[in-house]
Amino acid sequence: MATRLSKMRPTARLVRSLFRRSLLKNHVAISSRSMHFNYVPETPSKEFGDTTRMNFFQSITSALDIALANDPSAVIFGEDVAFGGVFRCTIGLKDKYGADRVFNSPISEQGIVAFGIGVALTGATAIAEIQFADYIFPGFDQIRNEMAMYRYRSGNEYDCGPLTIRTPCSAVGHGALYHSQSVEAFFAHCPGLKVRDCTAECLDKCVIVRGRELR
């Protein structure tokens, strides 16, 4: 046995040596290419007038601001959204539009979704935030069997189209198992729902589930 192992060791050392050389060669090649990379900033189109450079979260805040400004029936609710949310995507909106339109909810994802369904059925625009996508599963039944099915069960008399559920998903650097899941595939296979997965430069995501857009 010892003799067999001694014969294998030179081969193993050779394999490791070749592997390291390959890694070093590829690293040098990649580094060389990177040195000659020239960043060319994208020139904003003048088609839409003046533009403002924003990061991903600022663009979400801007979109929510526009929704509240253009639609007097629109409301935003969820855990901690009144002070801006954990990612500060709703910061300043309560002060601008009032506590009747931007307000905190109890810590109950099932309740958040159910409340949003009720608001949407009155014809108002409901924008619900689930703080992290990992937390959405307690509300899964409401989303799948109520929100998605309302148009079908009512013979197209009612729908939850005015309801948008916004939730961040994918990895958070320190988030571990309850802050890093990607749940969009579950909802992408549900008739009656529309999933929007908006990926920013840093691979942060915002999933928007809408009931109106699928017939």
Side-chain angles (χ1 to χ4, degrees), residues 52-74:
T52 302
R53 186 177 181 84
M54 302 178 182
N55 63 30
F56 191 48
F57 300 122
Q58 288 171 331
S59 66
I60 293 173
T61 306
S62 177
L64 295 174
D65 188 7
I66 292 171
L68 291 169
N70 293 343
D71 185 351
S73 75

Side-chain angles (χ1 to χ4, degrees), residues 164-177:
T164 297
I165 300 174
R166 191 184 66 80
T167 183
C169 68
S170 295
V172 174
H174 56 280
L177 69 165

Side-chain angles (χ1 to χ4, degrees), residues 153-168:
R153 69 184 287 191
S154 68
N156 207 32
E157 290 290 325
Y158 305 99
D159 65 78
C160 296
L163 171 57
T164 297
I165 300 174
R166 191 184 66 80
T167 183

Side-chain angles (χ1 to χ4, degrees), residues 87 131-134 167-184 197-200 202-207:
F87 292 111
Q131 196 169 79
F132 286 91
D134 311 56
T167 183
C169 68
S170 295
V172 174
H174 56 280
L177 69 165
Y178 288 130
H179 301 80
S180 302
Q181 298 180 48
S182 297
V183 305
E184 56 270 25
D197 188 346
C198 314
T199 306
C202 297
L203 300 182
D204 294 308
K205 293 183 180 179
C206 163
V207 177

Side-chain angles (χ1 to χ4, degrees), residues 16 38 51 87 95-96 112 117 120 124 128-129 137 155 188 197 204 207 213:
R16 286 197 297 269
N38 294 320
T51 59
F87 292 111
D95 295 335
K96 185 174 182 179
I112 292 171
I117 291 171
E129 178 181 308
F137 294 110
D197 188 346
D204 294 308
V207 177
E213 297 179 26

